[in-house]
Amino acid sequence: MHKDVERILVTEAQIQGAVQKIADGINRDLNDEPLLVVVILKGSTPFAMDLIRKLNMPVELDFMQVSSYGKSTASSGFINMKKDLERDITGKNILIVEDIIDSGNTLFKIKTLFESRNAKSVRICTMLDKPSRRVVDVEVNYVGIEIPDEFAIGYGLDYNEQYRNLPYIGVLKREVYEH
Ligand code: IMP
Ligand code: MG
């Protein structure tokens, strides 16, 4: 275990089980309809790459980046677009892939934006959900694992751009961010 990890929240095996469960739901619901998978950079990339290899329909891939927490561990409530999609999404089935839903602000704004661009459908999947932290009510179609209100790192999730490469999801020791 990494020295800055307090304890492991989700093991590698549990991650793969959650990815399969989410993929099964998407395969069932889309029923071979083409899907545009939108990966929210950067934290969602390991999850998205595991997920797309389990999807059965024709899949296109695009990426979007919105402003993150920076060095803080609390959400700011507004988003700032750093990178938009490459192509027009009119008439497409969209799957937004997110690493974690906390307040819900980020996903609510992205979903509303895609709907305003006349997507055919907009679904959301997330590896992790912190339901106790929700401020904005946003429908999440596929959730991997619900976790308590603690700061998670690993499997894409960072603190100050570190720890994204951990193969499991762990709780960051408080002493790392509280001085
Ligand atoms: P929301 O807009 O408050 O739902 O925040 C979502 C974003 O905050 C996620 O995409 C993450 O980038 C970041 N975030 C929220 N909680 C955590 C955490 O526990 N660890 C790492 N990043 C987090
Ligand atoms: Mg993120």
Side-chain angles (χ1 to χ4, degrees):
M1 197 165 80
H2 191 287
K3 66 175 175 47
D4 294 344
V5 172
E6 180 74 47
R7 67 176 201 283
I8 294 179
L9 268 181
V10 190
T11 65
E12 287 188 66
Q14 288 171 325
I15 289 172
Q16 290 316 315
V19 173
Q20 188 64 60
K21 179 187 76 173
I22 292 171
D24 290 345
I26 297 166
N27 285 328
R28 184 190 58 227
D29 294 349
L30 268 294
N31 193 22
D32 285 340
E33 275 199 72
L35 186 62
L36 173 63
V37 173
V38 174
V39 184
I40 309 301
L41 295 171
K42 305 172 197 169
S44 310
T45 50
F47 169 40
M49 296 309 99
D50 284 344
L51 181 68
I52 59 169
R53 286 177 287 180
K54 297 184 187 299
L55 297 179
N56 300 330
M57 71 290 290
V59 165
E60 285 182 71
L61 197 55
D62 207 342
F63 299 87
M64 174 173 267
Q65 188 166 17
V66 296
S67 72
S68 70
Y69 284 3
K71 255 186 114 168
S72 154
T73 57
S75 179
S76 59
F78 61 89
I79 62 163
N80 165 36
M81 176 85 69
K82 288 185 177 171
K83 186 209 173 297
D84 202 346
L85 302 179
E86 282 182 350
R87 308 250 300 269
D88 182 22
I89 60 168
T90 305
K92 294 195 181 227
N93 295 305
I94 312 283
L95 177 73
I96 303 172
V97 181
E98 181 62 297
D99 47 8
I100 185 166
I101 306 189
D102 188 34
S103 70
N105 278 309
T106 309
L107 279 176
F108 179 79
K109 284 173 185 158
I110 293 174
K111 188 176 186 193
T112 307
L113 175 69
F114 289 174
E115 284 167 349
S116 76
R117 291 177 177 177
N118 299 313
K120 181 178 177 189
S121 64
V122 183
R123 290 178 174 81
I124 294 175
C125 71
T126 186
M127 171 49 66
L128 299 178
D129 186 12
K130 283 185 192 170
S132 64
R133 299 260 303 174
R134 198 74 87 259
V135 173
V136 179
D137 189 25
V138 53
E139 188 197 346
V140 184
N141 306 83
Y142 314 97
V143 174
I145 295 163
E146 288 190 3
I147 61 165
D149 180 13
E150 292 180 282
F151 198 78
I153 52 170
Y155 194 58
L157 290 162
D158 75 307
Y159 171 67
N160 198 20
E161 294 301 328
Q162 297 298 307
Y163 315 112
R164 294 193 196 275
N165 54 317
L166 299 181
Y168 52 83
I169 296 163
V171 177
L172 181 63
K173 284 184 180 166
R174 296 192 85 89
E175 68 206 45
V176 178
Y177 59 92
E178 278 179 358
H179 297 287

